[in-house]
Amino acid sequence: MKEPNLSFYYGRLRLIHCREQLLIRLLPDLVAEATRPRLREIMTGYLAAARYRRYMINDLAWDHGISALGDECLSMRKLIAVGSARLAGENRGERHDPAVETFCHQLHRVIMVDYRLARKLAAEEGLHVDAGCFDEVIEAMAETFPEPPPGQYEPSTARPLSLVAV
């Protein structure tokens, strides 16, 4: 029988894989929702990064002899449903791109929490190669989706100010 922490780590790998799969299915729709060409280009880069992360998770799972498939990620599905409904309610144009950007940022923040937890579990289990992979992903995501300093939210919407220059 596997140790509880190692089983929890493997479960976290499956959960991350599920969330990345959902994100990969959603990002092409978000690219299409963007009205500014620069935002579309950036969102396409996010899709490529998510695909890379999914391959990394598959490789880590393969190395441990586990399947990366299997978890049902209900919380991510709910976040996507709520965000999609909000986007549908926004008028296309000037206010739409910030909504697309904010939605993408929120999704990545959720995934970032999972990566940080998986990294911590891998380090605790002495899985240094795994922890190194997570460090690389976390660093890249933190650069792409920085935490805004206090006071950098639009007061009326609680959205972070745009990461993409208008």
Side-chain angles (χ1 to χ4, degrees):
M1 184 168 134
K2 294 180 184 130
E3 292 182 35
N5 283 350
L6 198 52
S7 292
F8 186 58
Y9 171 67
Y10 294 158
R12 190 57 41 181
L13 281 177
R14 286 190 292 278
L15 182 67
I16 290 170
H17 182 271
C18 179
R19 288 184 175 186
E20 291 287 8
Q21 286 292 101
L22 292 170
L23 187 61
I24 288 167
R25 279 189 240 144
L26 176 68
L27 279 171
D29 293 338
L30 291 180
V31 169
E33 287 286 326
T35 59
R36 287 180 283 150
R38 178 72 180 130
L39 182 57
R40 270 191 239 112
E41 180 184 318
I42 289 170
M43 299 294 285
T44 301
Y46 295 164
L47 176 59
R51 286 180 176 147
Y52 170 78
R53 293 189 307 261
R54 180 192 55 194
Y55 291 128
M56 182 209 57
I57 292 298
N58 284 336
D59 287 347
L60 290 178
W62 177 264
D63 290 346
H64 294 295
I66 62 169
S67 171
L69 303 175
D71 274 359
E72 182 65 23
C73 185
L74 295 177
S75 61
M76 186 71 156
R77 288 183 193 278
K78 183 177 180 180
L79 180 61
I80 287 172
V82 168
S84 296
R86 284 185 183 151
L87 276 183
E90 290 278 343
N91 293 327
R92 289 189 61 84
E94 193 174 308
R95 291 187 44 121
H96 195 69
D97 279 357
V100 170
E101 191 177 349
T102 299
F103 185 28
C104 185
H105 186 84
Q106 290 169 341
L107 293 169
H108 280 87
R109 287 183 66 192
V110 168
I111 292 172
M112 177 78 90
V113 170
D114 287 320
Y115 276 103
R116 285 183 173 142
L117 179 56
R119 192 255 176 253
K120 179 182 180 294
L121 293 168
E124 287 174 358
E125 292 298 317
L127 304 172
H128 302 296
V129 171
D130 294 32
C133 288
F134 291 123
D135 284 339
E136 180 183 321
V137 168
I138 290 166
E139 183 179 318
M141 287 178 75
E143 284 179 22
T144 306
F145 301 99
E147 292 294 321
Q152 292 296 309
Y153 284 86
E154 295 176 13
S156 62
T157 63
R159 292 181 183 156
L161 295 177
S162 182
L163 302 172
V164 181
V166 179

